[in-house]
Amino acid sequence: TVNAAVAEARVAWNVTRLTTITGSLLRDLSETTVANASSYIATRAELRADHELLRNLLLDARIGYEQDAFEGIDRTDNYYIAGVGAKYLVNRVFSVSGGYGYRERSSDATNTDFTEHAVSIRLNTQF
């Protein structure tokens, strides 16, 4: 049995009509498949900026940090997260988006650290 407070807060600041900065804090309880751990408590902070460069071209950037504290074992994972992206609105139905994401995990458990670089391109549709 694990007892933990969970909460989420998000604040948006419209710097201009074209730029928004959003800050968020999250504390959540999640299940895990890590041996001898029943769950982990995730605490995350993120800062995101969105900008409408052109009427049909949207840009975003984000940076964040997350700490996962495992219940039942002595393990803590720290994640460092960053990314940039763009979305081009082709018309009212189609858009093309892409981005780059970086994630690094630093853990006090042996051989579990990693660095991840991800590039994505998407074709989106909405009706």
Side-chain angles (χ1 to χ4, degrees):
T1 302
V2 177
N3 294 316
V6 296
E8 183 174 3
R10 191 171 303 229
V11 176
W13 175 34
N14 296 317
V15 181
T16 68
R17 290 178 46 166
L18 303 176
T19 304
T20 302
I21 296 177
T22 307
S24 62
L25 294 171
L26 169 78
R27 183 173 162 95
D28 198 11
L29 180 65
S30 298
E31 296 177 351
T32 183
T33 58
V34 173
N36 300 321
S38 61
S39 59
Y40 65 91
I41 298 171
T43 305
R44 182 182 319 135
E46 185 176 80
L47 190 62
R48 179 184 172 108
D50 293 285
H51 180 71
E52 184 179 326
L53 185 64
L54 301 170
R55 202 161 187 65
N56 60 346
L57 181 59
L58 312 173
L59 305 177
D60 69 82
R62 63 201 168 283
I63 188 167
Y65 169 78
E66 179 176 334
Q67 182 181 70
D68 296 345
F70 289 82
E71 297 293 314
I73 61 173
D74 187 26
R75 176 178 172 177
T76 302
D77 291 350
N78 297 296
Y79 291 90
Y80 305 94
I81 305 159
V84 293
K87 184 175 190 178
Y88 177 71
L89 307 171
V90 178
N91 56 37
R92 291 181 179 225
V93 177
F94 294 103
S95 64
V96 178
S97 61
Y100 166 76
Y102 171 83
R103 186 170 65 143
E104 177 182 335
R105 178 169 71 189
S106 174
S107 178
D108 53 16
T110 51
N111 297 324
T112 59
D113 295 350
F114 68 82
T115 301
E116 175 183 76
H117 301 270
V119 176
S120 65
I121 297 175
R122 294 185 178 114
L123 175 61
N124 308 301
T125 184
Q126 64 184 28
F127 299 98

